[in-house]
Amino acid sequence: MIKNGKFGKYGGIFVPELLIPALEELESAFFKYKDHSKFNKELDYYLREFAGRPTPLYFASNLSKKLGCKIYLKREDLLHTGAHKINNTLGQGLLAKYMGKKRLIAETGAGQHGIATAAVGAMLKMPVDVYMGAEDIERQKLNVFRMEISGAKVIPVNTGSKTLKDAINQAMRDWISNIEDTHYLIGSTVGPHPYPTIVKHFQSIIGKETKQQILEKEGELPDAIMACVGGGSNSIGIFSAFIEDNVELIGVEGGGKGLESGEHGATLCKGTTGILHGSLSKVLQNKDGQIKEAHSVSAGLDYPGVGPEHSYLKEIGRVEYVAITDSEALRGFQLLSKYEGIMPALESAHAIAYMEKYAKKPENKGKTIIVNLSGRGDKDMFLAAKLLGVET
């Protein structure tokens, strides 16, 4: 390995020995191609022509007037396949092609990463298998159909909590058995080195664009940036360009039924240091070190771990992490839909809900706030309607 993949004490590589050659091959290819002119020219083309970059930085005038702040939305929901996930899947899919891999595997929770991988696999003519917890399949039926119609095979995982954690376990087992011709396309800043670094690299385009756009619109940096945090890819993507600046950075976790209920996905708010899916980070675990089940109304935040760089950023105090409950997120979903005509994914609705709380504090009046709208709400319409007591 060229790097040890550590963020402070977090990160690293905690995997079976059998996976080390594959991780070394991946790290070597990433550092070879990440600054390679032909690779980047091809990736830029796909990001622009296939995915639809750059995404707008939209001034939410109605919410700004209502809340007394300048509120901007980074519209990652407008990308092809409906979420920021396509940035990373295009990057890793192309990297796999340059590495000579013939097959992609992935895991998904909310389905957005699975759809993005299926779309990229279809475009690059690579077969795709997607592991998905049976519980998430039930919550995200429309997204399962979208993956399958793009040619991907969705494999249900019936072990454990039947959610994202178990889907990752199963994808890892597949990869161990098929290392020669298969690339495991991890969708968030989790997993062993080099994955957290790779995913951050391909998602950092969100922050670079945002910085340029806010300077063009306001002539100065914002006061605060907010993003939801499950594994942490959309948040690290937008935060990455502002780490060295005097900008308040806030990550919003899934508070589920409340932090004291024990039924939540707020790893950074309530977790402790442990190992999950190949790296050291904050995790939800019991006193014996067994991973606890997470809960969130949004499948994308229903994960008992988080990317190791987030654990480091919390430890050094650079990013504040907060939690929003299921019912508060539902209010965020309604708020943005009603005032701006934009239906956010339930994941993003957590960040919207916290933005409202933040903006209502007297000391924050008049501030410029950016919320990263990581995905659109089409996938959550049936669930939202059910939670609101509306028959569909």
Side-chain angles (χ1 to χ4, degrees):
M1 289 287 181
I2 301 170
K3 309 276 187 184
N4 64 13
K6 291 285 188 69
F7 305 93
K9 69 181 181 185
Y10 299 104
I13 302 169
F14 298 87
V15 298
E17 233 175 90
L18 205 58
L19 275 181
I20 297 296
L23 292 170
E24 287 178 336
E25 180 191 20
L26 179 59
E27 186 202 46
S28 175
F30 172 66
F31 284 108
K32 177 180 178 182
Y33 290 117
K34 79 179 186 69
D35 299 316
H36 192 281
S37 59
K38 181 174 180 290
F39 178 86
N40 282 320
K41 186 177 179 183
E42 197 170 350
L43 179 58
D44 288 346
Y45 169 79
Y46 287 128
L47 286 170
R48 187 177 63 252
E49 303 290 338
F50 184 75
R53 300 211 73 89
T55 58
L57 183 67
Y58 176 70
F59 179 60
S61 58
N62 296 332
L63 274 180
S64 295
K65 187 176 179 183
K66 173 179 168 59
L67 297 172
C69 289
K70 282 186 178 177
I71 297 164
Y72 284 90
L73 306 173
K74 181 56 175 168
R75 298 292 309 274
E76 294 296 292
D77 60 311
L78 293 179
L79 285 169
H80 176 45
T81 71
H84 71 292
K85 295 291 186 182
I86 195 74
N87 304 322
N88 171 54
T89 52
L90 274 173
Q92 283 198 52
L94 201 58
L95 184 62
K97 186 178 163 188
Y98 273 63
M99 291 169 69
K101 301 296 181 184
K102 305 297 183 192
R103 171 179 176 252
L104 300 175
I105 59 171
E107 85 300 319
T108 194
Q112 290 168 316
H113 173 57
I115 290 169
T117 306
V120 167
M123 189 266 289
L124 295 177
K125 298 180 181 176
M126 298 174 79
V128 174
D129 286 343
V130 180
Y131 289 93
M132 191 169 186
E135 173 79 17
D136 291 336
I137 285 177
E138 183 60 30
R139 285 192 284 190
Q140 302 290 344
K141 288 178 181 174
L142 179 61
N143 278 349
V144 173
F145 176 68
R146 291 174 68 190
M147 284 181 259
E148 290 177 339
I149 206 163
S150 295
K153 181 180 176 186
V154 179
I155 303 171
V157 177
N158 287 294
T159 53
S161 57
K162 304 176 186 177
T163 58
L164 180 60
K165 165 178 71 71
D166 311 291
I168 293 176
N169 288 339
Q170 202 58 41
M172 285 258 186
R173 291 188 191 102
D174 182 320
W175 196 32
I176 287 172
S177 303
N178 299 284
I179 281 173
E180 289 299 318
D181 70 344
T182 297
H183 174 65
Y184 177 16
L185 207 164
I186 288 184
S188 197
T189 55
V190 300
H193 175 71
Y195 279 108
T197 298
I198 290 176
V199 178
K200 176 186 178 182
H201 175 76
F202 289 130
Q203 293 293 2
S204 65
I205 192 169
I206 306 172
K208 290 173 187 169
E209 273 182 18
T210 303
K211 194 169 201 176
Q212 181 181 345
Q213 290 167 325
I214 195 66
L215 287 173
E216 287 171 358
K217 289 175 185 291
E218 293 289 336
E220 60 185 6
L221 296 177
D223 296 297
I225 297 176
M226 298 165 199
C228 64
V229 180
S233 67
N234 91 87
S235 46
I236 210 74
I238 194 166
F239 291 167
S240 60
F242 298 90
I243 294 289
E244 305 299 326
D245 299 317
N246 184 26
V247 174
E248 198 175 355
L249 303 177
I250 302 171
V252 186
E253 296 192 291
K257 297 179 182 176
L259 293 184
E260 302 312 315
S261 72
E263 296 183 64
H264 58 77
T267 310
L268 289 158
C269 292
K270 297 296 281 187
T272 51
T273 302
I275 293 171
L276 179 63
H277 296 138
S279 67
L280 185 76
S281 191
K282 294 292 185 187
V283 299
L284 297 177
Q285 59 188 339
N286 64 22
K287 60 182 176 57
D288 298 319
Q290 296 297 310
I291 299 300
K292 294 165 68 174
E293 290 186 9
H295 164 79
S296 172
V297 70
S298 61
L301 305 187
D302 193 357
Y303 181 61
V306 68
E309 189 170 3
H310 282 290
S311 295
Y312 172 67
L313 292 171
K314 177 183 170 69
E315 188 166 284
I316 63 172
R318 178 61 189 96
V319 178
E320 180 186 6
Y321 294 91
V322 299
I324 282 291
T325 65
D326 290 347
S327 58
E328 289 172 331
L330 199 59
R331 173 173 165 74
F333 182 87
Q334 294 173 283
L335 184 73
L336 194 62
S337 302
K338 180 178 178 181
Y339 281 89
E340 297 293 345
I342 299 170
M343 285 168 285
L346 281 173
E347 289 80 4
S348 311
H350 284 70
I352 295 294
Y354 186 75
M355 178 274 295
E356 183 188 23
K357 279 188 173 182
Y358 179 93
K360 282 183 173 178
K361 292 178 181 175
E363 65 269 28
N364 294 329
K365 288 298 175 193
K367 285 187 175 180
T368 300
I369 303 166
I370 296 175
V371 179
N372 194 28
L373 204 61
S374 59
R376 69 181 184 225
D378 308 38
K379 68 183 182 61
D380 294 317
M381 292 307 290
F382 289 113
L383 178 58
K386 182 180 175 183
L387 292 169
L388 292 168
V390 178
E391 285 191 23
T392 55

